[in-house]
Amino acid sequence: MNKAPQQILTGIGVATVLGCAALGFFIYKKSGELAEAKTAFTATAGNYQRLRTQPLYPSAENLKKLEEQRDIAAEAATAALKELNPMAIPLEEITPEQFQEKLRGMVNAVTTKAQERNVELPEDFYFGFDSYKSTAPANATAAAALWRQARAIELAVNILIDSRIDGPITLNRTVLPEESGKPAATGLVVSYPFTLSFRASQTAFRRALNEITTSKTQFFIPRSVVVKNELDKELDKTTTTAAQAAGAGAGASKTEGGKTPALQYLVGTEKLDVTLNLEMVVFADSFAKK
């Protein structure tokens, strides 16, 4: 009878020892697995960082594919430039003295045309080239660049005149690098901005903007268009009532001779004050492979 409790205690002790041993082995095993996982993670993270930062070393196959794609892109760019080149005024060899003479003739022709079309120009309008009235460009390179810019601006101004805007046309152009002896801007696409400001009817403004943006002689980009109605405040009730009474409406009275007064439109006949920021764009002759 006394041996039973002792045997039970002995069994519990053995079980406890075995459980502790099993738990210890489990903890040891998991600790090893954790260490292995940590080592593997560290190695993987290191490889990732190394691969992410090291320079690429393409294989011969990948290099060949890259060259093929580059050639395709170059051919596409060259084809596009061939289509766009005719839409830009080319450089023309011209001496500084010839530039002055041609510019003077251009100004006279546009001034005469504006007078014939009743389009107002500012006094002493000179296409923004006022400094060259009495002084020639520094060299032939500057003269050629200036003459190309002048022809593009002349085209835009003539479009405004032909569209029957009211004017006055004011113009501001960006000075070219060649004018100060700097190298010409280079690239696949180079733009030269200038600004035109004028007053016009809505119809004339729409016509002018459409003609400028669809020109086949020179590619223009309208970088921004600012339009302001000349009527900067709403019509007052008195003006509206008087204008309506003067127009022909239901039951309108007839004037002497039995004629009904013409309708007087209150909206749509106002003039617009427009500031047009344009970019004259020129294109490279070809796409150079690098």
Side-chain angles (χ1 to χ4, degrees):
M1 295 295 294
N2 294 331
K3 292 182 180 181
Q6 185 176 1
Q7 292 175 347
I8 293 173
L9 291 175
T10 301
I12 292 174
V14 171
T16 300
V17 171
L18 292 174
C20 290
L23 179 61
F25 175 76
F26 178 78
I27 293 174
Y28 172 79
K29 181 180 179 180
K30 291 302 179 182
S31 297
E33 292 177 356
L34 178 62
E36 291 177 0
K38 183 177 181 180
T39 301
F41 172 79
T42 303
T44 302
N47 287 333
Y48 168 76
Q49 182 66 16
R50 179 178 57 81
L51 292 173
R52 190 175 70 87
T53 56
Q54 74 177 3
L56 294 177
Y57 186 77
S59 64
E61 181 181 358
N62 289 337
L63 183 59
K64 182 179 179 181
K65 290 181 180 179
L66 179 63
E67 291 175 345
E68 290 174 351
Q69 293 175 356
R70 184 196 62 186
D71 292 341
I72 292 173
E75 290 175 3
T78 300
L81 289 173
K82 287 181 179 179
E83 293 184 9
L84 292 171
N85 263 321
M87 299 174 63
I89 296 173
L91 281 173
E92 178 183 337
E93 291 187 5
I94 184 174
T95 66
E97 292 73 24
Q98 288 174 329
F99 167 74
Q100 275 190 299
E101 182 180 352
K102 286 178 173 289
L103 179 61
R104 192 177 301 112
M106 178 185 288
V107 170
N108 292 337
V110 170
T111 301
T112 300
K113 184 177 183 179
Q115 291 173 347
E116 293 172 351
R117 304 292 176 86
N118 294 319
V119 175
E120 183 182 353
L121 292 177
E123 187 177 356
D124 297 328
F125 181 76
Y126 221 74
F127 286 102
F129 297 95
D130 300 67
S131 59
Y132 297 107
K133 287 181 180 180
S134 56
T135 303
N139 50 55
T141 300
L146 285 165
W147 180 236
R148 178 171 62 180
Q149 186 184 40
R151 290 175 62 195
I153 294 174
E154 178 199 27
L155 175 61
V157 171
N158 273 326
I159 290 175
L160 296 183
I161 295 174
D162 291 336
S163 299
R164 306 283 183 172
I165 68 161
D166 298 306
I169 301 174
T170 58
L171 189 151
N172 290 294
R173 72 174 184 92
T174 300
V175 176
L176 302 178
E178 294 89 332
E179 295 181 67
S180 57
K182 297 179 181 178
T186 58
L188 285 179
V189 180
V190 180
S191 61
Y192 301 93
F194 63 96
T195 302
L196 292 169
S197 300
F198 54 91
R199 173 168 287 192
S201 67
Q202 296 182 34
T203 300
F205 165 59
R206 287 196 299 269
R207 183 186 301 118
L209 184 60
N210 182 64
E211 291 293 327
I212 289 174
T213 54
T214 58
S215 172
K216 300 298 183 183
T217 303
Q218 173 60 53
F219 194 92
F220 291 109
I221 296 177
R223 184 58 59 188
S224 68
V225 182
V226 180
V227 181
K228 180 181 178 182
N229 197 308
E230 66 173 339
L231 298 178
D232 57 356
K233 60 182 179 179
E234 63 182 10
L235 296 173
D236 58 67
K237 186 175 181 180
T238 303
T239 303
T240 304
T241 303
Q244 290 174 339
S253 61
K254 295 183 178 181
T255 61
E256 293 182 5
K259 295 183 178 180
T260 302
L263 283 170
Q264 292 191 6
Y265 295 97
L266 302 179
V267 179
T269 59
E270 317 95 290
K271 302 295 183 180
L272 303 176
D273 292 322
V274 181
T275 299
L276 190 57
N277 294 307
L278 294 173
E279 288 186 359
M280 161 198 170
V281 179
V282 296
F283 307 96
D285 294 330
S286 63
F287 180 83
K289 298 180 183 179
K290 296 182 180 180

